[in-house]
Amino acid sequence: MGIKKIFAYVLSVTVFMVGIVSAAEVNVYSARSEDLIKSALDRFSEETGIEVNLITESADALIRRIELEGFNSPADVLLTVDAGRLFRAKEAGILAPIDSSILRERIPAAYRDPENQWFGLSLRSRVIMFDKSRVSPSEIESYEDLADPKWKGEICIRSSGNIYNQSLLASLIEHVGEEATEAWAVGLVANMARRPQGGDRDQIRAAVAGQCKLAIANTYYLAGMLNSDIAADVEVAEQIGVLWPNQGDRGAHMNVSGAGMIKTSKNPDEARQLIEFLSADYAQQWYAQVNNEYSVRTDIPVSATLQRFGEFKADSLNLEALGRNNAAAVRLADRAGWQ
Amino acid sequence: MKPWPLSLIALSLILATPIFVVLSSVFFSAGDIWTHLFETVLARYISNSFALMTGVSIGVLALGVLPAWLVTAYRFPGSKVFEWALLLPLAIPAYIIAYTYTGMLDVAGPLQSNLRDAFGWSYGEYWFPEIRSIGGAIAMLSLVFYPYVYLLARAAFAGQSASVMEAARSLGCSQRSAFFRVALPLARPAIVVGLSICLMETLADYGTVQYFGISTFTTGIYRTWNGLGSTVGAAQLAALLLGFVFILVSIESWSRKQAQFFNTGSNAWPSPAVPLVGGRLFIAYLVCGIPVSLGFVVPLIQLSIWASITSDSIMTADFAGYLFNSLALAAITSAAALILALFIAYGRRLYPTQLSSVAARVLSLGYALPGTVVAIGVLVPFAWLDNQVSAFMVARFDFNTGLLLSGTAFILVFAYLVRFLPIAMNTVDAGLTKIRPSMDEAGRSMGLGPMTILRRLHMPIMRGSLATALLLVFVDVLKELPATLLLRPFNFNTLAIRTYELANEERLADAAGPALTIVLASLIPVILLSRSLERATNVPSVGEKPR
């Protein structure tokens, strides 16, 4: 067989294979783990007949992968679990705006990019949790209070390497400025019950075990423990109260999980449809059921578990600020000795 | 230049591209990142990494060398079981053992909670070691890495010919003093190889130290990339790490060169084992039992308890697919690694040049690099190549080939090879250098070609080393996470990914099922290996008859 023949053969096989996979599909690069997105994507395929292909990995790695894959990247949609990474993807120039009146109407302005390059899809708040047997909710009001020396040795919080802590710092930088935030971080480090370690649930458990009185965690972790199959987790979670910070002023710090369309997408129409689907009724209720998150929309009822945490005032800061201030937040944490 | 050394160098260059990608970062500016790192966290990264390496060195030597000696030089009830059981902790990923012990020993874990309830204590009124500490991380890493030292030390002890030990005893050495004065010094090169593998694993570990909240060089690389948003700064940190590891590897190969021992061949069957009784037997059980129970049995029990709670959600329809993917990747990679390692090691034996030994040393750096760094280092050249080909095809034939290699299992296996070939190379090399060069000369004088010598003389003799290399890579691939996460194709999961995703959501109990499956899947090759080692030690040298 001559070289030309082999080449023609390979080419035709390739064309054939490309032909198979190019039936309506959308390729998703997701920082949301498979368990927390797959069944919604399956539902999308059922409703629309569009096949969804999925890769999960941390957002930074996915952004890098898309950058390196360049024009030929198969990625159509990027899903992340925080606004800072969506901002970073936008900065990297890998996102394209979506002109969708559906998305603009459904999602409040604070939770989407001003230039329509990314859209928040589910909401979570990072709050102060307390051991109900030892703390009364009247003792603390705001994130700023966490630096008050009266809490010396009583605060459990995980590493500043964690994106949710970085976002909290970034929001403080936006509201009170970098200098005040650094002073706050120094105060917080002085009040820590232990060197930062473990995940959010570990902070909650440590508070109930008596190592600290206050734990900083995202709302869905506590809700997940309340709904757990493991009796010990439920028992721990029952002893924890949720304090919504800064209700007298700006409101509790919010973050989103969200999505953006990739600039080089070969399936922009399917990509838009998928993001719109994730903002529609079914998916919004699904976010609440599967991972105890709040809907970005105001017309979707809150899940029964989340209702136990009560109503609250949310910070209306545009989440773009979280991404913009992220690097400054990490530097500040390094200087403050927050490991 | 002859084709063999030429292809050796070409192969090394291809496999070393990710390392060059990392090193090339030093030509870019990272802005003021370094000033920031110097002023704040760099000292802590370095000191923590050093503390970790020192501690793990002590830990793996203590856990690995003595049991290896006991099971080869002595005979006691159960010694045959310990011989392979001591390898079992290899099957447990480091971050999994960290999660399980934390689940048990943490301030909120069952042990401390029960203590508080039983004695009416509250937190702070009693002392309990903090599991999430440097000491805890050293313990965790030592427990899962010591089998490397054990494996190599045992092979070295078992390969020591009876005549050496007989000579030692005839000169008045007891079994114990023969250990310190003859067996240990002779086994030193092998033990150093095992130790350097452990240290490289320690440097590459991210999961454990991250969970324990310990800032090391590796967590620093991630933080610089993800937190400070500096790709260049992160790559430069990784380059610094590589520089350090290069020194480590050079010291290791220098120390091996200082102590080169060949089997004399004529008496190369193991010395008879001495039976153990009484108090010494008890001590032997302690020495062999502690590593196995703490490194394997205890975490296995904890994982099983968790898995039993969540068993309904484990056995989903996709589970068989995860298992298949994991096993297939492990099998393909370990076979490829073995062939390449043989090629490289034998090529160096045939054509020992300065260049080829430097090339081998550069290749071995991949083992110390965090998986994510390797993955990006692999993606950079492959994506570039794919895009060049694509652009060429569009211009020439108006047909876009897209990404031919990126996003396929091929580059996944390539990344595994960058990461794990060093371990196969080390093991094969250690086996090959023990065969005295006169063997090759004899083969050549009989008119055998180099391939025949390799196949008919060397490979049967070093069967133990080959099986070891195969197993180590197989198990490492089963456990591998970061490179798999970053490079895998669409809709492609492995057991390690499944475990990680659940554990990362802080659902340890749910993660136990896939974690347990990794452990069980690794058991098969571990047992196969120990069997083949058993046979290998009973195989006398070529041309000899057993007494």
Side-chain angles (χ1 to χ4, degrees), chain A residues 117-183:
Chain A
Q117 294 205 14
W118 56 260
F119 301 87
L121 294 168
S122 67
L123 272 180
R124 61 281 297 275
S125 182
R126 195 155 185 78
V127 297
I128 300 169
M129 300 185 186
F130 57 93
D131 178 0
K132 285 194 277 199
S133 64
R134 292 180 298 146
V135 178
S136 127
S138 60
E139 290 175 63
I140 184 160
E141 271 182 7
S142 65
Y143 297 110
E144 283 86 335
D145 291 346
L146 291 171
D148 186 329
K150 81 169 178 179
W151 297 109
K152 189 160 184 58
E154 295 296 356
I155 297 175
C156 283
I157 187 163
R158 71 200 283 187
S159 162
S160 65
N162 176 257
I163 179 64
Y164 301 124
N165 283 337
Q166 293 172 11
S167 289
L168 177 59
L169 281 170
S171 83
L172 278 163
I173 290 175
E174 194 68 15
H175 285 299
V176 302
E178 202 167 327
E179 214 170 302
T181 307
E182 185 164 341

Side-chain angles (χ1 to χ4, degrees), chain A:
Chain A
M1 203 158 42
I3 292 286
K4 268 191 181 164
K5 263 190 178 169
I6 295 178
F7 183 74
Y9 172 76
V10 170
L11 202 66
S12 58
V13 169
T14 318
V15 170
F16 177 68
M17 282 163 63
V18 170
I20 291 178
V21 291
S22 64
E25 64 171 0
V26 58
N27 296 325
V28 177
Y29 281 21
S30 169
R32 238 182 125 85
S33 70
E34 188 169 320
D35 260 26
L36 295 183
I37 196 67
K38 185 78 165 50
S39 63
L41 299 178
D42 287 346
R43 171 79 179 218
F44 173 73
S45 296
E46 267 169 44
E47 281 186 11
T48 60
I50 298 170
E51 194 188 325
V52 181
N53 298 311
L54 179 68
I55 295 176
T56 58
E57 162 63 306
S58 77
D60 287 291
L62 290 173
I63 292 170
R64 190 89 185 106
R65 179 166 169 175
I66 293 167
E67 282 180 314
L68 291 172
E69 287 174 337
F71 172 78
N72 283 309
S73 175
D76 296 311
V77 172
L78 175 70
L79 296 178
T80 79
V81 287
D82 73 293
R85 291 301 170 271
L86 288 167
F87 174 83
R88 191 168 284 175
K90 181 186 172 189
E91 288 287 286
I94 60 167
L95 297 182
I98 301 179
D99 184 21
S100 161
S101 55
I102 296 181
L103 291 175
R104 276 197 304 274
E105 274 161 30
R106 283 180 185 158
I107 302 169
Y111 305 138
R112 57 181 156 86
D113 175 45
E115 286 155 13
N116 296 315
Q117 294 205 14
W118 56 260
F119 301 87
L121 294 168
S122 67
L123 272 180
R124 61 281 297 275
S125 182
R126 195 155 185 78
V127 297
I128 300 169
M129 300 185 186
F130 57 93
D131 178 0
K132 285 194 277 199
S133 64
R134 292 180 298 146
V135 178
S136 127
S138 60
E139 290 175 63
I140 184 160
E141 271 182 7
S142 65
Y143 297 110
E144 283 86 335
D145 291 346
L146 291 171
D148 186 329
K150 81 169 178 179
W151 297 109
K152 189 160 184 58
E154 295 296 356
I155 297 175
C156 283
I157 187 163
R158 71 200 283 187
S159 162
S160 65
N162 176 257
I163 179 64
Y164 301 124
N165 283 337
Q166 293 172 11
S167 289
L168 177 59
L169 281 170
S171 83
L172 278 163
I173 290 175
E174 194 68 15
H175 285 299
V176 302
E178 202 167 327
E179 214 170 302
T181 307
E182 185 164 341
W184 175 81
V186 169
L188 176 68
V189 170
N191 286 345
M192 286 179 188
R194 55 181 186 180
R195 186 175 46 77
Q197 52 189 271
D200 273 11
R201 292 185 192 215
D202 292 315
Q203 317 309 322
I204 297 171
R205 292 192 188 108
V208 173
Q211 194 168 16
C212 44
K213 288 180 178 167
L214 305 177
I216 314 304
N218 281 3
T219 39
Y220 56 85
Y221 285 113
L222 182 62
M225 290 172 81
L226 283 169
N227 293 338
S228 172
D229 298 335
I230 298 158
D233 274 354
V234 180
E235 200 180 307
V236 164
E238 296 282 1
Q239 295 177 59
I240 288 287
V242 170
L243 183 110
W244 292 101
N246 300 75
Q247 294 301 291
D249 43 60
R250 61 181 185 266
H253 165 63
M254 307 303 290
N255 207 332
V256 291
S257 84
M261 185 173 82
I262 306 302
K263 198 165 69 182
T264 54
S265 169
K266 316 291 180 291
N267 308 298
D269 207 40
E270 287 80 2
R272 180 187 49 78
Q273 284 184 56
L274 176 61
I275 297 173
E276 285 176 354
F277 168 82
L278 291 175
S279 71
D281 292 11
Y282 171 81
Q284 288 296 306
Q285 283 163 9
W286 177 87
Y287 276 123
Q289 280 164 17
V290 170
N291 197 36
N292 298 294
E293 286 168 274
Y294 294 91
S295 168
V296 280
R297 287 165 46 184
T298 44
D299 57 340
I300 302 285
V302 172
S303 81
T305 312
L306 289 179
Q307 276 176 20
R308 295 176 56 172
F309 302 164
E311 296 197 352
F312 64 98
K313 178 182 174 188
D315 190 344
S316 60
L317 175 71
N318 188 293
L319 297 185
E320 198 190 36
L322 306 185
R324 210 174 48 238
N325 296 336
N326 194 93
V330 176
R331 286 178 180 236
L332 183 156
D334 278 343
R335 288 195 297 270
W338 181 354
Q339 294 198 36

Side-chain angles (χ1 to χ4, degrees), chain B residues 355-371:
Chain B
L355 193 61
S356 65
S357 77
V358 170
R361 227 175 291 167
V362 170
L363 276 188
S364 62
L365 296 179
Y367 200 54
L369 272 185

Side-chain angles (χ1 to χ4, degrees), chain B residues 178-227:
Chain B
F179 169 69
F180 283 110
R181 299 177 62 178
V182 178
L184 193 58
L186 280 176
R188 202 192 72 199
I191 293 172
V192 171
V193 172
L195 181 62
S196 78
I197 292 174
C198 294
L199 290 182
M200 286 173 130
E201 285 268 16
T202 304
L203 284 173
D205 172 77
Y206 172 71
T208 309
V209 285
Q210 186 263 347
Y211 184 58
F212 281 9
I214 297 163
S215 317
T216 65
F217 222 86
T218 309
T219 62
I221 293 173
Y222 280 83
R223 188 182 173 93
T224 306
W225 178 29
N226 298 347

Side-chain angles (χ1 to χ4, degrees), chain B residues 66-119:
Chain B
L66 218 48
W69 173 247
L70 288 178
V71 297
T72 37
Y74 298 93
R75 195 173 63 240
F76 50 94
S79 60
K80 282 278 167 233
V81 175
F82 277 123
E83 214 163 86
W84 57 268
L86 278 157
L87 288 174
L88 293 177
L90 265 190
I92 301 188
Y95 68 96
I96 294 295
I97 202 174
Y99 275 121
T100 48
Y101 271 101
T102 308
M104 289 181 279
L105 302 180
D106 177 40
V107 59
L111 192 65
Q112 288 201 52
S113 300
N114 286 333
L115 280 176
R116 285 194 296 268
D117 289 348
F119 297 98

Side-chain angles (χ1 to χ4, degrees), chain B residues 89-93 95 148 474-481 496 518:
Chain B
L90 265 190
I92 301 188
Y95 68 96
Y148 294 116
F474 191 95
V475 174
D476 258 334
V477 172
L478 274 189
K479 295 186 291 185
E480 209 286 337
L481 175 72
I518 297 182

